[in-house]
Amino acid sequence: TAGQRCTSTRRLILHKSIAASVTERLVRAYKTIRIGDPLAEGTLVGPLINKRTVETFLHAIAAAKAQGGRVLAGGDAAPSPSGGYYVNPTIIQAPPDNTLPIAREETFAPILYVFTYDTLDQAIAMNNTVDQGLSSAIFTDSVRSMERFLSPAGSGSDCGIANVNLGTSGAEIGGAF
C-alpha cells in the first residue's frame, strides 16, 4: 500500500540499546525493495495515488531535514516504470532530542521515522503524541511491558488498535475508527 493506509507504521520507537543495529538492518533491507507495478511478482512498493501525494511526500522529507532529521534511506522520487507516481521508501532518523513534528502528521507515503527511548514510559508517551492514534504495536518478550502498553488505566497506548508482537497494519481493513 506504499504507506497509504491510516494504520501504516510511520514511527518506530526503539530502545537505545538496539537502535543502531535495528536501523542498520532496516537500511540494508530498504536497499533491496523492488518498486513497480503492484501486480507484478516480487514488487513490494507500488505507486502513490497521485502527483499531489508525491509532492506531500517530498514536503515531508524537506520538513524532516529542516527539523533536524537525517535521511538514512530513500528520500526522493523514484523513476516511474509505468507513468505512475513512485517514490523511494524512506527512513528518517529523528534528532537526538526526539523532536520531529512532521512525524506527527499523516503523509500517506512510505516514510518511517525512527526515534529512540530509555524507558518504556518514555516510549509510550512518544507513542501517544499523535492526534490520530489509530493503531500501535509493541514488540517485547516481557509480559509486564505488554500489560503496561495495553493498560486500560490510561497509562498505556492511547490507540484504537494496540498490537503485541504484530505490526500496525493487518486485518483491520474496513474497520471504522
Side-chain angles (χ1 to χ4, degrees):
T1 60
Q4 297 174 100
R5 286 173 83 161
C6 58
T7 56
S8 293
T9 301
R10 292 189 336 261
R11 296 176 305 139
L12 182 61
I13 303 168
L14 298 167
H15 191 272
K16 287 182 178 180
S17 67
I18 63 167
S21 65
V22 171
T23 303
E24 181 182 307
R25 291 189 337 226
L26 280 170
V27 169
R28 277 197 316 265
Y30 271 50
K31 291 178 182 177
T32 68
I33 292 175
R34 186 166 158 208
I35 301 167
D37 179 349
L39 300 177
E41 184 76 26
T43 297
L44 184 61
V45 176
L48 297 182
I49 193 161
N50 57 33
K51 183 179 178 181
R52 181 171 177 230
T53 306
V54 173
E55 292 166 356
T56 301
F57 165 85
L58 294 171
H59 168 77
I61 302 300
K65 288 178 183 178
Q67 294 167 8
R70 194 176 79 160
V71 175
L72 303 178
D76 54 0
S80 175
S82 63
Y85 301 102
Y86 293 85
V87 298
N88 287 305
T90 301
I91 300 172
I92 297 177
Q93 184 177 44
D97 65 3
N98 279 323
T99 57
L100 197 61
I102 190 66
R104 293 192 305 266
E105 295 181 23
E106 288 187 305
T107 306
F108 292 103
I111 301 173
L112 180 66
Y113 300 99
V114 179
F115 297 87
T116 59
Y117 72 94
D118 289 308
T119 68
L120 182 59
D121 285 341
Q122 185 184 27
I124 291 172
M126 280 192 269
N127 176 69
N128 292 340
T129 62
V130 297
D131 292 334
Q132 299 85 14
L134 300 177
S135 184
S136 62
I138 185 172
F139 285 81
T140 184
D141 61 359
S142 166
V143 173
R144 287 180 193 259
S145 294
M146 174 198 68
E147 288 177 346
R148 175 90 171 90
F149 184 75
L150 298 175
S151 174
S155 57
S157 175
D158 187 20
C159 287
I161 299 172
N163 300 286
V164 176
N165 296 336
L166 182 69
T168 59
S169 287
E172 82 292 336
I173 195 75
F177 293 98

